[in-house]
Amino acid sequence: MASGARNGGGGLGSRTTAKMDRQQGSTATPKAPAGKPRLSAAGGGAYRRTSSGPLPAAGAGGGRNSSESGVSSRVRVAVRLRPRNAEEQAADADFADCVELQPELKRLKLRKNNWESDTFEFDEVLTEFSSQKRVYEVVAKPVVESVLEGYNGTVMAYGQTGTGKTFTLGRLGDEDTAARGIMVRAMEDILADITPETDTVSLSYLQQLYMEMIQDLLDPVNDNIAIVEDPRTGDVSLPGATVVEVRDQKSFMDLLRIGEAHRVAANTKLNTESSRSHAILMVNVRRAVKGRSEMNVSMSAENGHSSSMMDSLRPPIVRKSKLVVVDLAGSERIDKSGSEGHTLEEAKSINLSLSSLGKCINALAESSAHVPVRDSKLTRLLKDSFGGTARTSLVVTIGPSPRHRGETTSTIMFGQRAMKVQNMVKLKEEFDYKSLCRRLDIELDKLIAENERQRKYFDDEIERITAEAQYRVAEAEKECKVSLENEKMKYHQEYLDSIKILEEKWKVHQQSPKKQIKEESTSNGDVQDLLQNEKMLRQSAEDESNDLKNQLSHWKKMEV
Ligand code: ADP
Ligand code: MG
């Protein structure tokens, strides 16, 4: 139930980013989940959903925030009349029933007196002869189908104690299979439709006792369960309640029996009547959506990643829907209940939540700006069922006795007001980041192990290569040393040899210049002597020639 203005997104889910509250279409029939045949259509033609439609095709503009608002869907209300019981047959034998039903017109006439009556229209009018199967099909089956498609759903019974609420919702049908109530039939359909390998169904079963206490019917010691509201999405949950996974119908029936036994025991202990407590069955359905890859497509297109890599990064899509079945406490007024003391307190408290529910429904029916959701735990719990995002079906139960005309009238009026409440049905679909995280964790662990293995191999290789290199270096060093030594020796020898040669040469050299100088000086002296001699010889020759010339000239002169 939404606080604040009606239909204002219900305050639920409208601000979420991770959630993909997907809008249903407007006219066609919703598709059954892939791979499973759709449950057969509801028997009562007029009690069909009018606002449901096909889901948008994968990736076809139906991205994360494609629909923040959902689709308007009115709360559906059926009225069911209980047949006269033995007491009424005796006591009211002379009186006509206070109501007259016209099921084909979906009308109920409430007799004021013998000649006057008020007429009311309902979505479905179920007579005292209506079978449990038919009641399930017109009241609950469309909601169950919706839950299986990923929408939240609520089925609720409202009416005076003894008019058949528990008969309608909670009969197990142990003794007569045709008597199975809505809870049992709903679970049969849910279990038949889900894929056990990928989908899970879990439930909690609670009752709201007097003094606004919520007790876990699967663990009755836990009798003060808190209602927690997600500040982001506005979704309410009961984290303290036992949640049991249901795999087959038998275990479900066992849980219902356990819950019922605890309900009776708790009420006996507290000296209360179970008709004064609200019983709430919460069935959580979590389904994997197969073959949808819009995020993958857009991400891989953006980044150009290979599809196999993207496959491992793509968060799976899950639909997490919830079916809430509420068997409300008797709606009769306290003064009529004849309660005293403790029981009166209890009745007051129960009536507080019921009257608070009535007020909320009035406010929603009148589109009032303020819906007093927070006035009671029941209305907080049913926040999503009235004015929220759930598909809601209400069955109001009445008895035929004219002695209870007042209660019957108020029940009918409650139903009439509830028919005016609009919900905004939204698909509860989201990316399953948790399972992606788990999957990536596993892959990360694998990679860590592989990395460790490779690192070890790498380290071993490095060690091996280092050892080999060191050995080779040592060998090479050794070889080098030897050859260097050899070279050194060789060059040393050569050095010594050349030194020797040089020394010899030097010695030779030392000796040879003196001799040469000597020889040279000797020859120089000889030449000078020779030159001197030559000079003298020439002089004497010149003198002689001059002498001879003189003699000759003398001789010539003389001759002359
Ligand atoms: P409530 O839960 O509203 O207090 P119950 O479901 O306990 O009422 O019904 C009171 C009695 O009336 C029960 O004995 C139940 O078997 C009987 N009863 C209720 N509805 C029907 C019905 N449609 N057909 C036959 N018996 C019914
Ligand atoms: Mg009951």
Side-chain angles (χ1 to χ4, degrees), residues 112-127:
K112 283 181 173 173
N113 46 48
N114 278 346
W115 56 90
E116 251 189 314
S117 62
D118 287 327
T119 303
F120 300 96
E121 278 189 17
F122 282 91
D123 291 304
E124 193 68 34
V125 170
L126 299 158
T127 70

PDB file of all heavy atoms in Angstrom, residues 112-127:
ATOM      1  N   LYS A 112     -32.940  -5.113   2.234  1.00  0.00           N
ATOM      2  CA  LYS A 112     -33.133  -4.231   3.388  1.00  0.00           C
ATOM      3  C   LYS A 112     -34.343  -4.732   4.178  1.00  0.00           C
ATOM      4  O   LYS A 112     -34.352  -4.760   5.401  1.00  0.00           O
ATOM      5  CB  LYS A 112     -33.389  -2.804   2.924  1.00  0.00           C
ATOM      6  CG  LYS A 112     -32.148  -2.066   2.458  1.00  0.00           C
ATOM      7  CD  LYS A 112     -32.581  -0.675   2.072  1.00  0.00           C
ATOM      8  CE  LYS A 112     -31.465   0.248   1.744  1.00  0.00           C
ATOM      9  NZ  LYS A 112     -31.979   1.512   1.226  1.00  0.00           N
ATOM     10  N   ASN A 113     -35.358  -5.076   3.447  1.00  0.00           N
ATOM     11  CA  ASN A 113     -36.566  -5.663   4.043  1.00  0.00           C
ATOM     12  C   ASN A 113     -37.244  -6.472   2.933  1.00  0.00           C
ATOM     13  O   ASN A 113     -36.610  -6.748   1.902  1.00  0.00           O
ATOM     14  CB  ASN A 113     -37.478  -4.565   4.598  1.00  0.00           C
ATOM     15  CG  ASN A 113     -37.652  -3.415   3.618  1.00  0.00           C
ATOM     16  OD1 ASN A 113     -37.930  -3.661   2.440  1.00  0.00           O
ATOM     17  ND2 ASN A 113     -37.435  -2.194   4.073  1.00  0.00           N
ATOM     18  N   ASN A 114     -38.469  -6.811   3.123  1.00  0.00           N
ATOM     19  CA  ASN A 114     -39.102  -7.710   2.180  1.00  0.00           C
ATOM     20  C   ASN A 114     -39.276  -7.128   0.780  1.00  0.00           C
ATOM     21  O   ASN A 114     -39.417  -7.847  -0.189  1.00  0.00           O
ATOM     22  CB  ASN A 114     -40.490  -8.138   2.704  1.00  0.00           C
ATOM     23  CG  ASN A 114     -40.333  -9.284   3.691  1.00  0.00           C
ATOM     24  OD1 ASN A 114     -39.261  -9.883   3.755  1.00  0.00           O
ATOM     25  ND2 ASN A 114     -41.355  -9.551   4.487  1.00  0.00           N
ATOM     26  N   TRP A 115     -39.318  -5.847   0.675  1.00  0.00           N
ATOM     27  CA  TRP A 115     -39.588  -5.247  -0.645  1.00  0.00           C
ATOM     28  C   TRP A 115     -38.488  -4.320  -1.142  1.00  0.00           C
ATOM     29  O   TRP A 115     -38.516  -3.835  -2.246  1.00  0.00           O
ATOM     30  CB  TRP A 115     -40.936  -4.488  -0.613  1.00  0.00           C
ATOM     31  CG  TRP A 115     -40.975  -3.443   0.487  1.00  0.00           C
ATOM     32  CD1 TRP A 115     -40.604  -2.148   0.409  1.00  0.00           C
ATOM     33  CD2 TRP A 115     -41.417  -3.650   1.816  1.00  0.00           C
ATOM     34  NE1 TRP A 115     -40.745  -1.528   1.594  1.00  0.00           N
ATOM     35  CE2 TRP A 115     -41.263  -2.434   2.503  1.00  0.00           C
ATOM     36  CE3 TRP A 115     -41.940  -4.799   2.525  1.00  0.00           C
ATOM     37  CZ2 TRP A 115     -41.607  -2.289   3.848  1.00  0.00           C
ATOM     38  CZ3 TRP A 115     -42.280  -4.613   3.846  1.00  0.00           C
ATOM     39  CH2 TRP A 115     -42.107  -3.387   4.507  1.00  0.00           C
ATOM     40  N   GLU A 116     -37.493  -4.104  -0.345  1.00  0.00           N
ATOM     41  CA  GLU A 116     -36.427  -3.193  -0.758  1.00  0.00           C
ATOM     42  C   GLU A 116     -35.066  -3.885  -0.698  1.00  0.00           C
ATOM     43  O   GLU A 116     -34.812  -4.634   0.242  1.00  0.00           O
ATOM     44  CB  GLU A 116     -36.378  -1.994   0.200  1.00  0.00           C
ATOM     45  CG  GLU A 116     -36.858  -0.700  -0.440  1.00  0.00           C
ATOM     46  CD  GLU A 116     -36.569   0.460   0.482  1.00  0.00           C
ATOM     47  OE1 GLU A 116     -36.856   0.358   1.688  1.00  0.00           O
ATOM     48  OE2 GLU A 116     -36.010   1.452  -0.007  1.00  0.00           O
ATOM     49  N   SER A 117     -34.222  -3.584  -1.668  1.00  0.00           N
ATOM     50  CA  SER A 117     -32.852  -4.125  -1.601  1.00  0.00           C
ATOM     51  C   SER A 117     -31.887  -3.199  -2.340  1.00  0.00           C
ATOM     52  O   SER A 117     -32.295  -2.441  -3.228  1.00  0.00           O
ATOM     53  CB  SER A 117     -32.807  -5.528  -2.212  1.00  0.00           C
ATOM     54  OG  SER A 117     -33.174  -5.465  -3.571  1.00  0.00           O
ATOM     55  N   ASP A 118     -30.616  -3.276  -1.916  1.00  0.00           N
ATOM     56  CA  ASP A 118     -29.562  -2.529  -2.611  1.00  0.00           C
ATOM     57  C   ASP A 118     -28.808  -3.509  -3.502  1.00  0.00           C
ATOM     58  O   ASP A 118     -28.573  -4.657  -3.107  1.00  0.00           O
ATOM     59  CB  ASP A 118     -28.586  -1.930  -1.591  1.00  0.00           C
ATOM     60  CG  ASP A 118     -29.205  -0.763  -0.840  1.00  0.00           C
ATOM     61  OD1 ASP A 118     -30.021  -0.039  -1.448  1.00  0.00           O
ATOM     62  OD2 ASP A 118     -28.881  -0.614   0.349  1.00  0.00           O
ATOM     63  N   THR A 119     -28.412  -3.019  -4.671  1.00  0.00           N
ATOM     64  CA  THR A 119     -27.690  -3.904  -5.591  1.00  0.00           C
ATOM     65  C   THR A 119     -26.229  -3.467  -5.701  1.00  0.00           C
ATOM     66  O   THR A 119     -25.935  -2.269  -5.806  1.00  0.00           O
ATOM     67  CB  THR A 119     -28.352  -3.862  -6.983  1.00  0.00           C
ATOM     68  OG1 THR A 119     -29.718  -4.227  -6.819  1.00  0.00           O
ATOM     69  CG2 THR A 119     -27.680  -4.830  -7.949  1.00  0.00           C
ATOM     70  N   PHE A 120     -25.372  -4.445  -5.666  1.00  0.00           N
ATOM     71  CA  PHE A 120     -23.933  -4.156  -5.778  1.00  0.00           C
ATOM     72  C   PHE A 120     -23.334  -5.030  -6.874  1.00  0.00           C
ATOM     73  O   PHE A 120     -23.724  -6.184  -7.026  1.00  0.00           O
ATOM     74  CB  PHE A 120     -23.218  -4.467  -4.457  1.00  0.00           C
ATOM     75  CG  PHE A 120     -23.741  -3.658  -3.309  1.00  0.00           C
ATOM     76  CD1 PHE A 120     -24.710  -4.182  -2.460  1.00  0.00           C
ATOM     77  CD2 PHE A 120     -23.267  -2.376  -3.077  1.00  0.00           C
ATOM     78  CE1 PHE A 120     -25.190  -3.446  -1.405  1.00  0.00           C
ATOM     79  CE2 PHE A 120     -23.752  -1.633  -2.014  1.00  0.00           C
ATOM     80  CZ  PHE A 120     -24.716  -2.159  -1.173  1.00  0.00           C
ATOM     81  N   GLU A 121     -22.399  -4.439  -7.583  1.00  0.00           N
ATOM     82  CA  GLU A 121     -21.715  -5.225  -8.622  1.00  0.00           C
ATOM     83  C   GLU A 121     -20.314  -5.596  -8.141  1.00  0.00           C
ATOM     84  O   GLU A 121     -19.631  -4.784  -7.512  1.00  0.00           O
ATOM     85  CB  GLU A 121     -21.607  -4.412  -9.905  1.00  0.00           C
ATOM     86  CG  GLU A 121     -22.885  -4.492 -10.699  1.00  0.00           C
ATOM     87  CD  GLU A 121     -22.755  -3.881 -12.084  1.00  0.00           C
ATOM     88  OE1 GLU A 121     -21.616  -3.683 -12.547  1.00  0.00           O
ATOM     89  OE2 GLU A 121     -23.804  -3.600 -12.672  1.00  0.00           O
ATOM     90  N   PHE A 122     -19.937  -6.803  -8.459  1.00  0.00           N
ATOM     91  CA  PHE A 122     -18.585  -7.259  -8.112  1.00  0.00           C
ATOM     92  C   PHE A 122     -17.915  -7.796  -9.369  1.00  0.00           C
ATOM     93  O   PHE A 122     -18.563  -7.979 -10.401  1.00  0.00           O
ATOM     94  CB  PHE A 122     -18.663  -8.351  -7.032  1.00  0.00           C
ATOM     95  CG  PHE A 122     -18.907  -7.790  -5.660  1.00  0.00           C
ATOM     96  CD1 PHE A 122     -20.210  -7.633  -5.178  1.00  0.00           C
ATOM     97  CD2 PHE A 122     -17.859  -7.402  -4.855  1.00  0.00           C
ATOM     98  CE1 PHE A 122     -20.441  -7.103  -3.918  1.00  0.00           C
ATOM     99  CE2 PHE A 122     -18.085  -6.869  -3.590  1.00  0.00           C
ATOM    100  CZ  PHE A 122     -19.366  -6.719  -3.123  1.00  0.00           C
ATOM    101  N   ASP A 123     -16.624  -8.044  -9.260  1.00  0.00           N
ATOM    102  CA  ASP A 123     -15.939  -8.639 -10.403  1.00  0.00           C
ATOM    103  C   ASP A 123     -16.374 -10.080 -10.576  1.00  0.00           C
ATOM    104  O   ASP A 123     -16.348 -10.625 -11.665  1.00  0.00           O
ATOM    105  CB  ASP A 123     -14.417  -8.578 -10.187  1.00  0.00           C
ATOM    106  CG  ASP A 123     -13.925  -7.143 -10.260  1.00  0.00           C
ATOM    107  OD1 ASP A 123     -14.176  -6.493 -11.290  1.00  0.00           O
ATOM    108  OD2 ASP A 123     -13.336  -6.665  -9.275  1.00  0.00           O
ATOM    109  N   GLU A 124     -16.740 -10.692  -9.488  1.00  0.00           N
ATOM    110  CA  GLU A 124     -17.247 -12.070  -9.553  1.00  0.00           C
ATOM    111  C   GLU A 124     -18.159 -12.305  -8.367  1.00  0.00           C
ATOM    112  O   GLU A 124     -17.897 -11.826  -7.262  1.00  0.00           O
ATOM    113  CB  GLU A 124     -16.078 -13.054  -9.516  1.00  0.00           C
ATOM    114  CG  GLU A 124     -16.437 -14.459  -9.890  1.00  0.00           C
ATOM    115  CD  GLU A 124     -16.814 -14.617 -11.363  1.00  0.00           C
ATOM    116  OE1 GLU A 124     -16.223 -13.888 -12.206  1.00  0.00           O
ATOM    117  OE2 GLU A 124     -17.689 -15.424 -11.662  1.00  0.00           O
ATOM    118  N   VAL A 125     -19.231 -13.001  -8.632  1.00  0.00           N
ATOM    119  CA  VAL A 125     -20.153 -13.333  -7.550  1.00  0.00           C
ATOM    120  C   VAL A 125     -20.207 -14.856  -7.443  1.00  0.00           C
ATOM    121  O   VAL A 125     -20.540 -15.549  -8.402  1.00  0.00           O
ATOM    122  CB  VAL A 125     -21.557 -12.740  -7.843  1.00  0.00           C
ATOM    123  CG1 VAL A 125     -22.585 -13.281  -6.863  1.00  0.00           C
ATOM    124  CG2 VAL A 125     -21.508 -11.218  -7.758  1.00  0.00           C
ATOM    125  N   LEU A 126     -19.778 -15.341  -6.299  1.00  0.00           N
ATOM    126  CA  LEU A 126     -19.668 -16.795  -6.102  1.00  0.00           C
ATOM    127  C   LEU A 126     -20.766 -17.256  -5.142  1.00  0.00           C
ATOM    128  O   LEU A 126     -20.808 -16.835  -3.980  1.00  0.00           O
ATOM    129  CB  LEU A 126     -18.287 -17.133  -5.536  1.00  0.00           C
ATOM    130  CG  LEU A 126     -17.132 -16.726  -6.475  1.00  0.00           C
ATOM    131  CD1 LEU A 126     -15.837 -16.576  -5.705  1.00  0.00           C
ATOM    132  CD2 LEU A 126     -16.976 -17.746  -7.592  1.00  0.00           C
ATOM    133  N   THR A 127     -21.602 -18.111  -5.637  1.00  0.00           N
ATOM    134  CA  THR A 127     -22.751 -18.546  -4.839  1.00  0.00           C
ATOM    135  C   THR A 127     -22.337 -19.607  -3.829  1.00  0.00           C
ATOM    136  O   THR A 127     -21.174 -20.065  -3.830  1.00  0.00           O
ATOM    137  CB  THR A 127     -23.835 -19.143  -5.742  1.00  0.00           C
ATOM    138  OG1 THR A 127     -23.357 -20.385  -6.240  1.00  0.00           O
ATOM    139  CG2 THR A 127     -24.181 -18.215  -6.893  1.00  0.00           C
TER     140      THR A 127
END
